[in-house]
Amino acid sequence: MTQIKFIFQRALSISFSLSLVSPMDLLRQSLGCLLIVALLSPTALSMQFELRSGQMKCISEDIHEKSISVGKYFVVNPNEDHPLPDSHKITAKMVSPKWNTLHEAVKVEAGEFSFTAFETGDYFTCISAVDHKPETTLTIDFVWMSGVHSAASKDWSKVPKRSQVKMIELSVKRLFDTVESIHDEMYYLRDREAEMQELNRSTNSKMAWFSFLSLGVCLSVAGLQFWHLKSFFEKKKLI
């Protein structure tokens, strides 16, 4: 974690030292720093789910080679004053990307596992509830932590939750999307302003030509009326 903190602080100091960097570039650099932290930090998967009798649920985790992975699972007791009935038993099995069995427990109430990944890929943990009539619903509490490279991997409180890093990453992505949206909106408004200015110039030009045409028509009509009246009065020998 000290190395991660140093990398993050170093990346931020480099980003903020560039005074001529645009806000968009600065946001991209910050997002990159957060992604580096997410890649280098240990990850934890914690969940609680329900299983009906005879059903199975599989959970996968992408683990890098030589990473230590530890986890535990147990059936939540709906009545803490009494022991779990036989219907509340589970079978758990963990396999590697090449389907080699790493951990297996049959008809148990709880269990733990720990291993060092010998290959990079998706590791699967499948938990199934035993068949029972009448059908019952079990609540399973499952925790899986990976990416720890030291003997302190069993200190669960020191392993940051993946959700925390994801929340930061999602917040930065949301901010990045908002900035991009504002950037696109500004370009759209600028284009619309140019279109409106062009429309105004075109409208003013057309109105000017229409005004001159209207003036020409009015003068022509007035001239025709004057010529008609003059001819009429001449015929009547009034002038």
Side-chain angles (χ1 to χ4, degrees):
M1 291 303 295
T2 305
Q3 182 182 5
I4 297 170
K5 184 177 180 181
F6 172 76
I7 294 173
F8 186 70
Q9 290 177 346
R10 180 61 178 168
L12 286 181
S13 63
I14 294 173
S15 300
F16 286 107
S17 63
L18 300 176
S19 58
L20 297 179
V21 174
S22 63
M24 296 293 294
D25 293 335
L26 183 60
L27 191 57
R28 290 191 182 95
Q29 292 171 359
S30 299
L31 180 59
C33 294
L34 288 175
L35 290 178
I36 291 173
V37 173
L39 290 174
L40 295 179
S41 299
T43 59
L45 179 64
S46 178
M47 63 174 64
Q48 191 174 85
F49 56 89
E50 293 183 347
L51 280 179
R52 292 182 178 273
S53 298
Q55 287 186 343
M56 175 185 291
K57 182 178 181 63
C58 291
I59 302 144
S60 66
E61 180 76 5
D62 184 14
I63 303 177
H64 293 282
E65 185 181 3
K66 298 181 180 179
S67 296
I68 298 175
S69 184
V70 294
K72 63 179 180 179
Y73 54 88
F74 61 90
V75 180
V76 178
N77 193 343
N79 190 353
E80 297 181 355
D81 297 332
H82 297 83
L84 283 171
D86 292 337
S87 60
H88 286 59
K89 302 288 185 181
I90 57 175
T91 297
K93 185 175 182 179
M94 170 173 282
V95 296
S96 68
K98 294 183 179 179
W99 297 99
N100 296 318
T101 301
L102 302 175
H103 170 78
E104 187 173 12
V106 181
K107 294 184 179 180
V108 297
E109 299 175 359
E112 295 181 356
F113 58 87
S114 175
F115 65 91
T116 300
F118 53 87
E119 59 183 333
T120 300
D122 290 328
Y123 288 72
F124 290 87
T125 299
C126 294
I127 299 176
S128 60
V130 297
D131 288 325
H132 187 270
K133 299 297 182 181
E135 188 179 80
T136 58
T137 301
L138 286 68
T139 301
I140 313 297
D141 197 291
F142 180 78
V143 180
W144 188 0
M145 291 175 291
S146 60
V148 186
H149 296 272
S150 66
S153 60
K154 292 187 178 180
D155 190 355
W156 298 56
S157 62
K158 293 183 179 180
V159 180
K161 299 292 185 180
R162 170 180 287 182
S163 58
Q164 296 174 354
V165 179
K166 285 294 183 182
M167 287 177 61
I168 298 174
E169 183 180 350
L170 289 175
S171 298
V172 175
K173 285 184 177 180
R174 191 179 298 112
L175 180 60
F176 180 74
D177 292 339
T178 303
V179 173
E180 276 195 336
S181 176
I182 295 173
H183 184 263
D184 295 339
E185 185 70 18
M186 290 177 63
Y187 272 101
Y188 172 75
L189 292 176
R190 190 180 66 178
D191 294 339
R192 289 291 297 169
E193 182 182 4
E195 291 177 2
M196 293 301 296
Q197 290 179 352
E198 182 64 26
L199 180 62
N200 288 336
R201 285 194 292 267
S202 176
T203 303
N204 291 335
S205 177
K206 291 178 181 179
M207 289 300 298
W209 282 107
F210 181 75
S211 299
F212 284 118
L213 181 62
S214 300
L215 181 60
V217 171
C218 291
L219 292 176
S220 300
V221 171
L224 287 174
Q225 289 179 343
F226 179 77
W227 175 80
H228 178 71
L229 289 174
K230 182 179 179 182
S231 300
F232 175 78
F233 288 135
E234 285 178 350
K235 287 180 181 180
K236 296 297 181 178
K237 297 181 179 180
L238 297 175
I239 55 174

